[in-house]
Amino acid sequence: VVAADIRDTADTVETIRSDGGQAIGVHLDVTSMDSCQAMADAAVEAFGQITCLVNNAALYGDIEGGRFNQIPEAQWDRVMDVNIKGIWQCCKACIPAIQNAGGGAVINISSLAATYGMPYALDYTMSKAAVIGMTRSLARELGRNWIRVNAVAPSAVLTEGTTEYMGEKRDKALEVIAANQALQANLQTDDLVGTVVFLASDASRFITGQTIMVDGGTTLL
C-alpha cells in the first residue's frame, strides 16, 4: 500500500506494517500534477507496479457551509480543484502504470450528497456529483484496457472531518441522518472497508461504471 496524503501518513503506514503488510508513505498534494506523478513513480519504484488507485482526497471538514449564493468564490474554486481536478490528476499519473500491469481498479470516493442533494453545501455536492460522472466516463474509456472504474458514495462518516463540518450541530444532525436510514446507525469508517476491498479485488472483475451507495439504506436504487 502507498498511503499518500497532504497530511502525515506515518500512523497509517505503521498500522499496515504491524498487520504484516507492506506500505510506504508519500506526501501528496492532488492539486499538483508534479506531486501526483511523484506519488505514482514512488509506488512503482517501491512495488514494481500499480494495480489499484483509491481516490479519497477531498475538502469537506475545512469548508464552510452556507446558502448557494453566499459560498466564497475562493472556497468554490478550491473545492473543485481538490475534489474533481485532484482525482483527474491522480488518474493521469497512475492509470498508465495500471495499464502496464495488465489492468486493475480505480475506486473514486463520492458522497450521498451527490444523489440526495445536500443543502447549504452546493460546492461540495457539485464536486461529488462530478466524481460520479467522471467514474462513468472513465469506465467506458478504460474498459478495453481491463481497468474497472467504480465509485463509493457513503453517508456521513464518523470522522474528524464530519465533526469539523457540522460543528455544534453534529449530534443532532447525525441523529436525523440515522433516523432516515433503513439501518438506523451512523456510518463508521470500518463500514466502508468491505466495499472498497470488494471493488479492488477480482471478486468484482465484471463490475465497472457503478456507484455503490454505502448509506444504511437512505437511497434505494
Side-chain angles (χ1 to χ4, degrees), residues 115-165:
T115 57
Y116 186 81
M118 183 176 176
Y120 307 110
L122 184 62
D123 47 358
Y124 180 77
T125 301
M126 285 282 295
S127 71
K128 289 302 186 178
V131 170
I132 294 175
M134 190 188 317
T135 297
R136 293 171 176 170
S137 291
L138 285 175
R140 294 193 184 277
E141 188 168 337
L142 299 173
R144 68 190 61 190
N145 303 119
W146 279 100
I147 299 174
R148 298 173 291 104
V149 187
N150 293 289
V152 177
S155 179
V157 188
L158 293 178
T159 63
E160 296 90 343
T162 295
T163 297
E164 187 176 349
Y165 181 78

Side-chain angles (χ1 to χ4, degrees), residues 1-12:
V1 175
V2 177
D5 201 336
I6 200 166
R7 298 177 178 176
D8 184 67
T9 60
D11 288 346
T12 300

Side-chain angles (χ1 to χ4, degrees), residues 1-4 23-28 34-50 93-94 97:
V1 175
V2 177
I24 62 170
V26 176
H27 181 269
L28 171 64
D34 287 343
S35 182
C36 293
Q37 190 59 57
M39 175 265 295
D41 292 344
V44 173
E45 182 178 355
F47 300 115
Q49 62 181 1
I50 300 173
C94 293

